[in-house]
Amino acid sequence: MRLERLVRHSRLALFVERLWRALLPVLVVIGLFVGVSWLGLWLMLPVWAGPIGALLFAAAAVWAAKDLVKVRWPSREDALARVEKSSGYAHRPLTALEDEISVGAGNAESRAIWALHLRRTAEALAAIRSKAPDPQAYRRDPWALRVLAACLLVIGFATATGDYGGRLVSAFQNPFSSVEAPTRLDAWVTPPVYTDEPPIYLTGESAQLRAAGAPVSVPEGSVLVVRTQGASELVMTFARAEDAEPLVIEPQEKEETADADLKKLLPVERRLELETPASSNCGTAMKR
């Protein structure tokens, strides 16, 4: 029956409208969180700000989802009312089809009048229709936060450049965990400018091309640079053949920063100007 098909379509459309109106605030909150995460907000803030921000967004999502528990499958009466409204009928003709005569049921004239009414109402079914879902969810978002969320998602997607998962989980870092800096040591000798010679690397692939333990000759006035990372206990000493005690080379001052974890990640440089051609020995060791 055509009426039954219209009722089924109307009930489905009503359910979609109710579900979308209830779901939009949750999607806006999720979009805002994902957008600011992809933009790297949690990477710029202190580590303790990430969990707090995630909790605030979670609380906002729970509050925004309060209407989801109220979503119900529409009743037949709701579906009929929607079909009548979509068809432009104000006097509810479809409801009249399911009504029964209550007064004068035993009177032939009353039954004839009622039958005529039902026939005219049934003829009107040819013009009824059920329109597509129209949730009008924008009424739930007077501040147009959905537009802001969409902009953040688009810009964040372009900014994250593939690190989408990493930036999302950056909000859930443990603020009480210590940061272990990767250990690295680089050493090279920079000859004086007048020699027009390139730096001589003492570590890395270039150093492997020389025989192990072979002495390295450099011009007088060269500067030895040892750069370390994640080796706070390292000690660098320098001794000439005639020195009784080796000279401890102190590291240069780091760039001032209030973040202790960031300070651990900054590299440390030790510099020594080689002023004499005499035999000398330079070494590094870790404190025990």
Side-chain angles (χ1 to χ4, degrees), residues 73-281:
W73 184 255
S75 64
R76 181 179 177 84
E77 290 74 17
D78 294 336
L80 287 174
R82 186 179 185 278
V83 171
E84 291 169 343
K85 183 178 179 180
S86 300
S87 304
Y89 292 118
H91 54 284
R92 306 191 65 185
L94 299 182
T95 305
L97 286 175
E98 301 186 345
D99 290 343
E100 296 181 357
I101 185 171
S102 59
V103 179
N107 187 297
E109 294 181 356
S110 297
R111 291 198 303 271
I113 294 174
W114 182 253
L116 177 61
H117 170 67
L118 292 180
R119 185 168 64 253
R120 290 178 175 175
T121 302
E123 292 174 354
L125 289 177
I128 64 173
R129 59 188 177 87
S130 178
K131 65 179 182 179
D134 183 20
Q136 298 185 359
Y138 61 87
R139 298 183 183 275
R140 299 289 310 276
D141 184 22
W143 299 100
L145 294 179
R146 65 193 184 281
V147 178
L148 175 61
C151 292
L152 289 176
L153 284 173
V154 172
I155 299 174
F157 183 84
T159 305
T161 59
D163 188 24
Y164 307 113
R167 294 200 176 191
L168 276 178
V169 300
S170 64
F172 305 96
Q173 297 181 18
N174 184 2
F176 303 104
S177 63
S178 58
V179 178
E180 295 295 335
T183 303
R184 180 182 177 90
L185 186 146
D186 296 303
W188 66 91
V189 176
T190 303
V193 177
Y194 69 85
T195 63
D196 199 25
E197 295 183 4
I200 302 172
Y201 292 96
L202 307 179
T203 57
E205 296 181 358
S206 299
Q208 295 176 3
L209 300 177
R210 295 189 298 269
V216 179
S217 298
V218 296
E220 183 177 0
S222 300
V223 177
L224 171 65
V225 181
V226 177
R227 178 181 293 171
T228 59
Q229 185 178 14
S232 58
E233 301 298 320
L234 182 138
V235 175
M236 175 179 170
T237 60
F238 175 80
R240 292 173 296 190
E242 64 273 16
D243 291 339
E245 293 292 335
L247 174 66
V248 177
I249 309 301
E250 298 295 337
Q252 295 185 337
E253 293 293 330
K254 289 185 180 181
E255 181 181 351
E256 291 297 328
T257 175
D259 192 335
D261 292 333
L262 177 60
K263 191 173 183 179
K264 295 179 182 178
L265 299 175
L266 295 177
V268 178
E269 283 191 1
R270 294 171 172 84
R271 292 175 175 266
L272 175 66
E273 185 173 353
L274 306 176
E275 298 178 346
T276 173
S279 176
S280 59
N281 181 44

Side-chain angles (χ1 to χ4, degrees), residues 29-48:
V29 174
I30 295 175
L32 290 173
F33 173 76
V34 174
V36 298
S37 298
W38 282 351
L39 285 174
L41 176 65
W42 315 119
L43 301 177
M44 295 183 289
L45 296 177
V47 67
W48 52 263

